[in-house]
Amino acid sequence: MSRARSHIITSAASAACVVTKRSGVDRFRFVPEFANKNTSSSASTAHRTSWPWPEKRSATATRGLSSTAKFDALPNNVYHGVPVYANVDLSSNLPDASIIRNADADAVFVIAAASRSMGLEFAKQLIDRTKGRIACCVRDPGSSPALDEYLGTLAPGQRERVQVFKLDVTELGDIEQLEKDLSSSYGRVDALFNVAGVLGDKKTTPGPEMKLNQLDKHFLEEQMSVNCIGPMMLTKTLAPLLAARKGKSKYLRSARESIVVNLSARVASLADNQGPLAWYSYRMSKAALNQGVRTSAHELRRQGTWTVALYPGMTDTDMSKPFQTKAMVEKGMVFPVDFTVGRLLDIVDRMEEKNSGGLYDWAGQAIPF
């Protein structure tokens, strides 16, 4: 499996959907992992959240939502444990900071692992919903067929906004060179999307592991390197370019805040880990990433940078293919890539400082750590 593969979440045990019919149109309903279990747990062990979805809101309330697919959430979405952070309200209008950042032609959006899948979809949607420059980072510039094909379809004005950079998140030399290239080309970064991730397929890799005796040292090291160390080293190295504020009140750009977005997983939650799925290396690496996100949020806040970990739900990518079944696809348990990325960007656009450091699902719900 490609080590810098665009990350997508994991198993049907983590998230599922069922298809319902309403007025002859297929709708999708999110089914939480514990939907069929007893939900009478006390607040100390389970957290329930009702979530309003776009088709239930007014046109004004849905302004800015970009997802093309329509999903209905069950009234009670249950996670074990109590989240530390407040939910991100997707029914709210965009805050001024997001409107300004998205309209700023000088804003720079960096995507780590943009060659295909979710990383490429981030590039596509950022081209459409922002006016800024897009830095697509790939391991082999010029040898990324899906990205190259997409760039060939862009109008000249759009193509000029995109620049491709070399980056393997496991190589410190690549990370340091990227910082130099971005500094020379732009002198700033407004949003960093850490999309690279690896899970394994159990056929050509030792994991994901289902038993403790399947743990493999080299596979565990690779999971930590791609899923945690790489994103954190990239965030560290680009932090000076992300700085949006000097002191308490001197802002360095019109949008005031910059953002670091990390793709995480529900299975990384310690509180929500009720079994039976094991996946030792993947869980451990993403849990470590969550800790890095929350810890760095305290420090980065002082320079006007927010950071967040997002759980996409099970999305139709090469990474999730080994764990998809025909029944899952037929029942709508696998999210379209454009829906997932659109919903994650909706969350990013509605973030406030109080959300920085949090772990959220694709619905904007805070997940307990």
Side-chain angles (χ1 to χ4, degrees):
M1 174 173 285
S2 171
R3 297 173 67 192
R5 174 165 293 176
S6 296
H7 169 77
I8 187 56
I9 200 63
T10 53
S11 74
S14 297
C17 300
V18 296
V19 180
T20 60
K21 290 284 186 178
R22 186 180 301 169
S23 302
V25 179
D26 283 344
R27 302 293 180 108
F28 295 84
R29 172 170 290 180
F30 176 75
V31 182
E33 178 178 358
F34 305 101
N36 295 323
K37 297 185 179 182
N38 186 351
T39 58
S40 61
S41 304
S42 67
S44 63
T45 58
H47 177 72
R48 304 180 189 85
T49 306
S50 297
W51 197 255
W53 286 99
E55 59 268 26
K56 299 177 183 178
R57 306 189 197 115
S58 66
T60 300
T62 61
R63 187 184 307 139
L65 289 176
S66 63
S67 304
T68 57
K70 294 184 178 180
F71 287 74
D72 288 334
L74 290 177
N76 294 313
N77 195 15
V78 179
Y79 293 110
H80 282 77
V82 179
V84 178
Y85 288 81
N87 292 340
V88 175
D89 184 4
L90 295 187
S91 68
S92 64
N93 292 327
L94 296 184
D96 290 343
S98 293
I99 294 174
I100 294 171
R101 180 172 54 249
N102 291 346
D104 186 353
D106 292 325
V108 179
F109 302 84
V110 178
I111 307 167
S115 62
R116 57 195 175 91
S117 192
M118 287 185 65
L120 176 56
E121 185 63 27
F122 272 110
K124 292 178 179 179
Q125 295 202 24
L126 286 169
I127 281 286
D128 291 338
R129 66 195 288 168
T130 76
K131 301 296 184 183
R133 282 88 53 92
I134 315 297
C136 292
C137 303
V138 300
R139 289 195 300 165
D140 299 304
S143 299
S144 303
L147 174 61
D148 295 340
E149 180 180 357
Y150 168 67
L151 295 179
T153 67
L154 295 177
Q158 291 179 318
R159 181 62 184 87
E160 292 171 359
R161 294 168 51 199
V162 183
Q163 191 168 349
V164 180
F165 297 89
K166 183 181 186 304
L167 175 66
D168 182 334
V169 297
T170 67
E171 296 293 336
L172 185 57
D174 280 10
I175 293 175
E176 293 173 343
Q177 184 60 50
L178 176 65
E179 188 278 333
K180 294 177 182 177
D181 292 341
L182 293 174
S183 181
S184 174
S185 297
Y186 308 121
R188 64 190 274 188
V189 172
D190 293 77
L192 167 63
F193 294 85
N194 282 315
V195 185
V198 65
L199 170 61
D201 60 10
K202 195 53 184 171
K203 294 181 179 179
T204 62
T205 61
E209 315 89 347
M210 295 305 296
K211 296 181 180 180
L212 183 61
N213 63 11
Q214 295 174 348
L215 271 176
D216 177 89
K217 179 178 182 292
H218 297 295
F219 184 72
L220 174 57
E221 289 173 342
E222 181 189 33
Q223 294 272 304
M224 293 298 296
S225 180
V226 177
N227 294 339
C228 176
I229 298 173
M232 291 307 301
M233 293 304 295
L234 186 57
T235 301
K236 166 206 165 184
T237 305
L238 299 188
L241 292 176
L242 283 157
R245 188 176 68 213
K246 186 175 182 180
K248 293 184 177 181
S249 58
K250 183 179 179 181
Y251 292 95
L252 306 178
R253 61 194 71 183
S254 56
R256 296 199 170 193
E257 288 86 22
S258 57
I259 294 181
V260 178
V261 180
N262 301 274
L263 295 197
S264 187
R266 175 179 180 173
V267 297
S269 168
L270 275 66
D272 199 47
N273 185 355
Q274 304 294 313
L277 189 69
W279 290 17
Y280 285 92
S281 298
Y282 189 74
R283 284 184 185 269
M284 292 162 65
S285 64
K286 289 298 184 179
L289 174 65
N290 293 345
Q291 182 68 273
V293 169
R294 186 174 183 189
T295 303
S296 63
H298 302 304
E299 178 179 351
L300 292 174
R301 183 179 287 112
R302 296 195 290 270
Q303 67 169 44
T305 300
W306 300 341
T307 183
V308 68
L310 299 179
Y311 157 55
M314 190 172 192
T315 304
D316 189 17
T317 67
D318 289 342
M319 193 171 179
S320 70
K321 278 288 196 295
F323 310 98
Q324 297 180 24
T325 66
K326 182 179 179 181
M328 291 166 59
V329 174
E330 290 176 347
K331 292 179 180 179
M333 295 167 64
V334 182
F335 296 175
V337 174
D338 62 340
F339 168 83
T340 297
V341 171
R343 190 50 59 86
L344 297 184
L345 287 174
D346 292 338
I347 294 170
V348 171
D349 278 347
R350 286 164 176 78
M351 273 188 64
E352 301 178 42
E353 185 172 3
K354 66 182 180 181
N355 306 120
S356 184
L359 170 63
Y360 293 90
D361 67 14
W362 53 272
Q365 293 189 94
I367 300 177
F369 287 107

